[in-house]
Amino acid sequence: MSKKKFIKFKEQLKQDGMVRETVKYVEHNGTKYIVDGHHRVRAAKELGMKNIPVEKVKLPFKGYESVDDLLIGGM
């Protein structure tokens, strides 16, 4: 996402909140890996939001087929 798009995205998030969609993550060996919602998490942190709705999912998920995809950054 470009810097300009991210700024717009962050403003929209500030107005609407995080209610649209949960951030999806996979857990492996006690570590949580975000598989959908990286930009939402970054924007929420920059805005000082404390409550980010999350949802644990299982592999395969989107472009993440295996644990190896998580460890090397997926797509």
Side-chain angles (χ1 to χ4, degrees), residues 39-51:
H39 293 110
R40 281 176 275 155
V41 170
R42 178 180 165 207
K45 285 182 177 182
E46 289 182 14
L47 292 169
M49 295 178 166
K50 302 288 184 195
N51 296 318

Side-chain angles (χ1 to χ4, degrees), residues 18-31:
M18 292 288 292
V19 295
R20 288 185 177 188
E21 190 175 339
T22 58
V23 172
K24 311 306 192 275
Y25 73 93
V26 172
E27 191 167 352
H28 175 67
N29 289 337
T31 301

Side-chain angles (χ1 to χ4, degrees), residues 4-64:
K4 188 176 181 176
K5 282 186 178 183
F6 182 74
I7 291 169
K8 286 182 181 182
F9 176 76
K10 194 163 81 168
E11 283 301 315
Q12 183 180 6
L13 190 66
K14 185 177 181 178
Q15 291 174 4
D16 299 342
M18 292 288 292
V19 295
R20 288 185 177 188
E21 190 175 339
T22 58
V23 172
K24 311 306 192 275
Y25 73 93
V26 172
E27 191 167 352
H28 175 67
N29 289 337
T31 301
K32 294 176 182 173
Y33 297 88
I34 297 172
V35 291
D36 183 39
H38 298 85
H39 293 110
R40 281 176 275 155
V41 170
R42 178 180 165 207
K45 285 182 177 182
E46 289 182 14
L47 292 169
M49 295 178 166
K50 302 288 184 195
N51 296 318
I52 301 171
V54 297
E55 178 182 351
K56 186 175 182 178
V57 297
K58 294 183 180 185
L59 295 176
F61 185 83
K62 293 196 174 185
Y64 299 91

